């Protein structure tokens, strides 16, 4: 059994894949494996991965016959992983030399289910360290304790799968898999499930992952209907939290985050194609109607005026439609 399996999905990133692959080489150990998942790329990425499978120690090349999206690609890697610990990297990002060994040493020393790490956000030539929104460092805690409060950024608002490392028992219990087919926000139900179901975690700093922003092929940059998968992702969060034993405590946080993401997308609605913008309006209105209305009332009362007004207006569209139909 390898000590560590690293799942790395790639899709049409021939410009950036060499940096990711070189960084894996600078992190390689005899007991590490790198699961390189090609999600049916149509550029030069497959050739780069075929070469890496021959030359990169521990590399395993896995290829999809059809493009399935990031969540599905990660699941393919997880299904093939043999390691005692698991980690993720995206094909357009990269690692500092030795980052994986340092993170592995931290999680082994702490003997917890998972650790969360800081990262470096890279936009062009700009660099900034993004911290895990959780205060104690290298202190093992109950992951549920890092979900609240509802009105502040917490660990569930830092959903990046690659910003951490995970013990295999989470994979064996089903907590590490993603919802197949989600094109965006695939990490939101995932991070909530992790914090609700795991027994122990710690934040350990270690900003050794470089997260590339502003990449044209990144899902954060697309303007088509795939962006709307955040609705399905957060519907799952609400459903999962509603069934949780502490639903009364956790639902305000889940609903508030859902509302904040809806407002965020409306803040830049002009970037969407007109048909997608119309669908965003209708799907957001329907989503507000599916939320627990008593919790939604309290959340809207607690939000700033600009976002609260926008969300109440959207909610009113549904009520107006229902009234007209009646």
């Amino acid at each position: 059994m390898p000590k560590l399996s690293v799942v790395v999905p790639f899709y049409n990133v021939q410009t950036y894949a060499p940096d990711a692959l070189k960084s894996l080489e600078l992190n390689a150990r005899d007991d590490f494996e790198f699961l390189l998942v090609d999600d049916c790329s149509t550029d030069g990425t497959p050739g780069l991965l075929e070469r890496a499978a021959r030359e990169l120690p521990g590399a395993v090349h896995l290829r999809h016959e059809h493009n399935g999206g990031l969540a599905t690609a990660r699941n393919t890697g997880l299904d093939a992983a043999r390691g005692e610990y698991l980690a993720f990297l995206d094909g357009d990002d990269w690692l500092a030399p030795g980052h994986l060994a340092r993170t592995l040493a931290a999680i082994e020393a702490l003997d917890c289910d998972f650790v969360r790490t800081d990262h470096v956000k890279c936009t062009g030539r700009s660099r900034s360290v993004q911290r895990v929104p959780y205060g104690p460092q290298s202190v093992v805690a109950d992951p549920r304790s890092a979900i609240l409060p509802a009105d502040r950024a917490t660990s569930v608002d830092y959903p990046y799968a690659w910003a951490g490392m995970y013990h295999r028992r989470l994979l064996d219990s089903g907590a590490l898999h993603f919802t197949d087919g989600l094109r965006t926000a695939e990490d939101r139900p995932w991070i909530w499930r992790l914090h609700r179901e795991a027994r122990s975690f710690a934040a350990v700093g270690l900003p050794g992952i470089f997260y590339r922003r502003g990449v044209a092929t990144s899902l954060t940059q697309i303007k088509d209907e795939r962006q709307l998968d955040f609705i399905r992702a957060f519907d799952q969060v609400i459903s999962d939290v509603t069934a949780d034993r502490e639903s009364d405590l956790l639902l305000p946080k889940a609903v508030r985050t859902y509302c904040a993401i809806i407002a965020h997308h409306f803040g830049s609605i002009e970037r969407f194609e007109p048909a997608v913008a119309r669908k965003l309006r209708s799907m957001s209105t329907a989503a507000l109607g599916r939320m627990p209305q008593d919790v939604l009332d309290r959340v809207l009362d607690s939000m700033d005026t600009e976002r609260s007004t926008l969300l109440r207006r959207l909610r009113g569209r549904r009520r107006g439609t229902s009234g007209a139909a009646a």
Side-chain angles (χ1 to χ4, degrees):
M1 175 186 288
K3 176 63 71 171
L4 175 68
S5 298
V6 185
V7 176
V8 195
F10 295 82
Y11 178 63
N12 286 353
V13 286
Q14 64 178 7
T15 302
Y16 307 111
D19 290 341
L21 294 169
K22 181 63 177 179
S23 77
L24 292 175
E25 180 184 345
L26 295 175
N27 276 268
R29 278 186 5 187
D30 290 344
D31 54 350
F32 288 1
E33 67 173 0
F34 304 123
L35 302 158
L36 314 178
V37 185
D38 177 20
D39 194 20
C40 198
S41 296
T42 57
D43 63 356
T45 301
L48 294 171
L49 299 185
E50 289 168 6
R51 179 177 177 182
R54 297 190 300 268
E55 300 179 0
L56 174 63
V60 179
H61 183 198
L62 306 169
R63 178 167 171 78
H64 285 172
E65 294 301 319
H66 304 282
N67 178 260
L70 181 57
T72 302
R74 283 177 175 163
N75 286 343
T76 294
L78 289 172
D79 289 342
R82 299 176 296 132
E84 181 182 355
Y85 293 91
L86 298 106
F88 300 94
L89 179 68
D90 286 351
D92 51 5
D93 300 331
W94 74 97
L95 303 167
H99 172 72
L100 294 176
R102 289 189 290 273
T103 308
L104 177 63
I107 191 172
E108 287 192 303
L110 293 166
D111 191 25
C112 56
D113 284 345
F114 69 99
V115 296
R116 302 294 282 155
T117 66
D118 301 337
H119 71 274
V120 181
K121 182 173 72 173
C122 307
T123 307
R125 294 182 178 274
S126 173
R127 302 285 187 272
S128 61
V129 176
Q130 307 296 301
R131 305 289 186 188
V132 180
Y134 181 75
Q137 292 287 297
S138 300
V139 176
V140 177
D142 181 348
R144 284 177 173 261
S145 70
I147 296 175
L148 299 176
D151 60 349
R152 283 170 42 197
T154 68
S155 192
V156 291
D157 301 309
Y158 186 83
Y160 316 106
W162 34 259
M165 194 168 285
Y166 315 91
H167 195 281
R168 185 177 188 88
R169 56 181 168 261
L170 295 174
L171 177 62
D172 293 340
S173 72
L176 277 191
H177 276 79
F178 297 81
T179 302
D180 267 324
L182 281 180
R183 301 284 178 158
T184 54
E186 77 293 328
D187 44 14
R188 295 292 186 157
W190 178 87
I191 192 69
W192 271 88
R193 184 173 65 248
L194 202 60
H195 275 275
R196 289 188 306 103
E197 295 184 3
R199 293 173 297 176
S200 58
F201 95 114
V204 295
L206 299 176
I209 294 184
F210 294 82
Y211 173 37
R212 201 189 302 266
R213 297 300 304 269
V215 177
T217 55
S218 171
L219 290 174
T220 61
Q221 302 296 308
I222 62 173
K223 304 175 183 178
D224 62 32
E225 203 166 304
R226 287 174 291 177
Q227 277 284 3
L228 304 186
D229 271 8
F230 84 90
I231 298 280
R232 187 155 66 98
F234 273 98
D235 278 353
Q236 183 180 339
V237 171
I238 297 297
S239 176
D240 292 346
V241 173
T242 298
D244 189 90
R245 67 179 187 271
E246 294 183 302
S247 60
D248 289 347
L249 185 66
L250 301 180
L251 267 173
K253 174 67 174 180
V255 169
R256 186 184 178 92
T257 306
Y258 199 168
C259 287
I261 297 297
I262 290 173
H264 168 76
H265 280 287
F266 272 86
S268 56
I269 195 170
E270 68 282 350
R271 71 191 176 99
F272 290 111
E273 301 160 358
V276 178
R278 289 192 296 271
K279 194 164 186 179
L280 171 62
R281 288 190 183 93
S282 64
M283 291 180 68
S284 297
T285 297
L288 290 166
R290 288 192 297 273
M291 296 179 196
Q293 296 301 294
D294 57 332
V295 177
L296 178 58
D297 284 335
R298 297 196 300 272
V299 164
L300 295 179
D301 287 343
S302 70
M303 296 184 85
D304 59 88
T305 302
E306 183 178 354
R307 291 188 298 176
S308 177
T309 300
L310 165 68
L311 294 163
R312 289 183 195 278
R313 188 180 302 124
L314 281 171
R315 189 190 196 190
R317 288 178 72 239
R318 178 178 181 273
R319 289 178 172 178
T321 301
S322 298

